[in-house]
Amino acid sequence: MEQSAELKSELPDNVIALIPMRNVVLFPHVLMPIAVGRDKSIATIEYALQTNSPIGIVLQRDASVDNPELNDLCLVGTIAKIVRHISATDGTQHIVCQGMERFQIKELIEDYPFLAARISRIEEISQPSTQTEALAVQLRERATEILSLLPGIPAELGHALQTTRAPAQLADIIASLLDTEISEKQMLLETIDIEERLQKVLKLLAHRIEVLRLSREISERTKEQMEDRERKFLLREQLKAIQKELGEDGDHGQEIAQLDEAITKAGMPPEIEVQTRKELNRLQRMPTASSEYSMLHTYLEWMTELPWRLPEEAPIDLNLAREILEADHFGLERVKQRIIEFLAVQKLKPHGRAPILCFVGPPGVGKTSLGQSIARALQRSFVRVSLGGIHDEAEMRGHRRTYVGAMPGNIVQGIRKAGARNCVMMLDEIDKMTVSIHGDPAAALLEILDPEQNSTFRDNYLGVPFDLSRVIFIATANVIDQVSPPVRDRMEIIDLPGYTREEKLQIALRYLLHRQQEANGLHPDQCELTVAALDSLIANYTREAGVRQLEREIGRIMRYTALRIAEDAQLQVRVDASDLDTILGPAKYEHETAARTSLPGVSTGLAWTPVGGDILFIEATRVSGSGRLILTGQLGDVMKESAQAALTLVKARANELDIPVSMFEGIDVHLHVPAGAIPKDGPSAGVAMFIALASLFTNRPVHHEVAMTGEISLRGLVLPVGGIKEKVLAAQRAGLQTVLLPVRNQKDLHDVPETAKSAMQYIYLETVDDAVQAALCQPNYSTVPEFKLV
């Protein structure tokens, strides 16, 4: 700022600050934007803005020179005033200049931060001649003619040319608008004589008019003679040139060729290939910048990547299938037999309608791995589709392509992932689907799982039928009751209730131990986990139907071993049952039935849960009151009704049970099921509730090794219940010795493994009298405390 202030008085009238231009010629009477980036040129602008001085715009002879000298500059330029100034963020200065008059450089003057020169001004002739006026009229007509040949010229430009009367001004304005070489424009700027300048502009204008006129004639003549095929070729070439100029050409042609080749190799049915090629032709005509281009390109990729052809199927070897099932799974004999039968039917009738197998059981019993074993036995690819939490029908059928982010449904995605149209597809957690405002996904499964319909399954995204008839569907569920009845009707239910203690031990020895050793970087000789330790682990640290928690506990032991071996590489660790308390802490589970049932009023029931069977303690006591029945423990409506029926039945059989009638007067009966934070319901606790109440009023404790299940009627009949296998296995895990079952459930023991069946005693109940006789101990008044009303 200080330097500029000093220079204000130092520049004489015949000295001007210059801005050398690389490829711009400014004419007088013309308004033109200029971008400046060189330091000296920016200094010129700053000086001119602060002193309100004009500047000189002059053309460089060589555009590559950054610091031009006198020999590098054209000697004739234009004096201009700055109309507007804008500073860009990158340091570039933008100005709008109004040309005023021509000048000629005499010499450059040093010692300035900008380029300065001593100049002489070139004056225009103020009184034009008649010849000059005639040339100006002709120039105006020619300019109007060229404007009619150029498309998109604003009407204001023609009006401005018509209103410009001064010949010199008209010549300069038209010269600035000419699309010609920069050297020719500089030549016009250096032409001082107005008449000569008008003639030169007329000559350049006439040449440009002839070029435009000839181009139009050629275009019209070619258009008339061009055939349709040639016209399309020319349009494509023009489109390529336009896209190239816009930077949008990319690999458009190569992508189209690749998609065309992929469609040929995909092996689509003829009618689907016709539809796909129609979409390809539409993509070819579409600009790559279009928002629909990427969507259509993705759709064609999906169509070409789907396995339309049916691969050659390997012959089924039943002996190999048995070996695979035996190697992958221990126990589950009935399930394995059903799978072998399934494979035998597939071998005899490869193109028949295979049933949809649905493995139902608690977590960790091997449902998913059974599907993988079936895929290995069939030598087909395996894909797992998780249905847990799906609440939108579009997740199964796909979204329509009109939506942003549309994709095919999970079924089609699984087919592409498997890469084969005859894959084994596991629909995992089929019972976890829910209904929402977006539709019922289970309704879409009806078409997918129906052999009569899935050969023409139509995904909303694809918009064409896809054959699913060769896909082998296998479903899994924890609770089959949560699957909708129509879907359940299309599947064959195979129950996997859980493993016995002996089966868990064998699974741990054969599979889990080795797998966790590998997962933790151990060799078999570095860590020895004894059979006694595994048995104690199963009995005292896990209580589940499957083996997932057991594998986690084994993993904890292996990590403990890995830490010790990492500290001492020569160490060999042996883990016995006595070491578990140090590694895993105190036992998580204990056989508490003896302690819980030592007093009258407590019975042990058997319950079914989605994760397997479990034992359930039912406690009853009496307090002074008005004869109410108090129920606690988050009981559902069914269990509440069972409790009321049990109390009524106890009162009705008071004589048979030697209960004085006076014991029911002036008291409230409180029946409680512990673990009150867990909701409980179901029609199988009637017998256990009756025995608990009978024990309470007779002062006879329940045998601590006895568990029971069954529903009761008001006539004293014991009614059958479900989940017998799960409940029996739960009783075995809890260390119980005797199980009381309804007599009509005797046939369900056929499903119980022989080891569990032989480990316990079973008593079958027809009436509640049988339960009283088998479950209640004889009263021992020396040890049994007297109940007092409180």
Side-chain angles (χ1 to χ4, degrees), residues 431-448:
D431 57 329
K432 303 300 189 300
M433 295 187 297
T434 58
V435 181
S436 70
I437 59 173
H438 303 291
D440 184 2
L445 275 180
L446 297 178
E447 180 184 1
I448 295 169

Side-chain angles (χ1 to χ4, degrees), residues 174-449:
I174 294 176
S176 67
L177 297 175
L178 279 175
D179 183 16
T180 183
E181 295 292 336
I182 197 70
S183 59
E184 293 180 338
K185 288 190 175 185
Q186 180 64 28
M187 176 265 295
L188 293 175
L189 183 66
E190 294 175 356
T191 303
I192 307 302
D193 184 72
I194 297 177
E195 183 176 339
E196 182 183 357
R197 193 190 315 159
L198 287 170
Q199 289 176 348
K200 289 181 179 180
V201 174
L202 272 172
K203 184 178 179 181
L204 291 173
L205 201 58
H207 174 72
R208 188 62 182 166
I209 289 174
E210 288 300 321
V211 171
L212 291 174
R213 186 178 294 153
L214 182 60
S215 175
R216 173 173 288 189
E217 291 176 358
I218 292 173
S219 177
E220 292 177 354
R221 186 169 59 250
T222 305
K223 183 178 180 180
E224 294 174 358
Q225 299 175 354
M226 191 180 303
E227 296 180 359
D228 183 64
R229 181 174 57 84
E230 295 173 346
R231 183 175 66 86
K232 290 182 179 179
F233 175 77
L234 179 61
L235 290 173
R236 290 193 186 99
E237 292 301 316
Q238 290 177 349
L239 179 61
K240 290 179 181 178
I242 293 172
Q243 291 175 338
K244 186 176 182 180
E245 289 297 326
L246 294 175
E248 299 175 354
D249 55 337
D251 299 326
H252 181 64
Q254 184 178 358
E255 288 180 352
I256 298 296
Q258 290 176 349
L259 287 173
D260 183 74
E261 182 181 359
I263 291 173
T264 304
K265 294 180 179 179
M268 304 176 185
E271 63 278 6
I272 297 178
E273 183 172 349
V274 169
Q275 178 69 21
T276 306
R277 290 196 178 277
K278 181 179 178 181
E279 296 292 339
L280 180 64
N281 293 334
R282 192 160 70 91
L283 180 72
Q284 191 172 4
R285 299 190 299 268
M286 193 178 298
T288 56
S290 171
S291 60
E292 192 179 359
Y293 180 88
S294 60
M295 181 273 294
L296 188 55
H297 188 276
T298 303
Y299 169 76
L300 291 173
E301 285 183 339
W302 271 99
M303 293 294 289
T304 55
E305 292 174 4
L306 285 176
W308 297 94
R309 286 193 182 95
L310 187 66
E312 184 178 353
E313 297 180 358
I316 298 175
D317 188 343
L318 295 181
N319 293 327
L320 176 62
R322 286 192 179 92
E323 293 175 2
I324 291 174
L325 291 173
E326 291 297 331
D328 293 348
H329 303 276
F330 180 82
L332 306 177
E333 299 302 329
R334 292 189 61 194
V335 177
K336 292 178 184 177
Q337 182 62 28
R338 180 61 189 92
I339 293 174
I340 294 297
E341 293 171 358
F342 171 81
L343 298 178
V345 174
Q346 286 287 307
K347 180 177 182 178
L348 296 178
K349 195 173 184 180
H351 300 285
R353 297 172 181 172
I356 312 299
L357 301 181
C358 181
F359 298 129
V360 179
V365 296
K367 300 185 295 294
T368 302
S369 58
L370 278 172
Q372 295 172 341
S373 299
I374 292 175
R376 287 178 56 199
L378 290 171
Q379 301 182 46
R380 298 188 188 183
S381 56
F382 175 81
V383 63
R384 174 182 169 271
V385 176
S386 178
L387 304 182
I390 287 181
H391 57 83
D392 189 351
E393 185 180 355
E395 295 287 339
M396 305 303 298
R397 285 192 186 276
H399 304 80
R400 299 190 184 278
R401 281 188 286 148
T402 53
Y403 298 127
V404 176
M407 289 188 67
N410 288 339
I411 301 301
V412 172
Q413 291 185 41
I415 293 290
R416 187 179 79 160
K417 182 179 179 181
R421 191 159 62 84
N422 63 342
C423 64
V424 176
M425 180 176 292
M426 172 155 284
L427 305 176
D428 213 0
E429 308 291 353
I430 198 172
D431 57 329
K432 303 300 189 300
M433 295 187 297
T434 58
V435 181
S436 70
I437 59 173
H438 303 291
D440 184 2
L445 275 180
L446 297 178
E447 180 184 1
I448 295 169
L449 299 180

Side-chain angles (χ1 to χ4, degrees), residues 669-718:
V669 177
H670 188 165
L671 193 144
H672 176 65
V673 181
I678 303 174
K680 310 170 190 70
D681 201 4
S684 63
V687 171
M689 289 180 171
F690 174 82
I691 293 298
L693 292 172
S695 172
L696 173 67
F697 284 102
T698 60
N699 280 348
R700 298 170 61 185
V702 180
H703 290 290
H704 65 268
E705 76 279 1
V706 173
M708 61 205 73
T709 184
E711 191 55 280
I712 59 174
S713 71
L714 291 179
R715 295 179 297 165
L717 298 178
V718 178

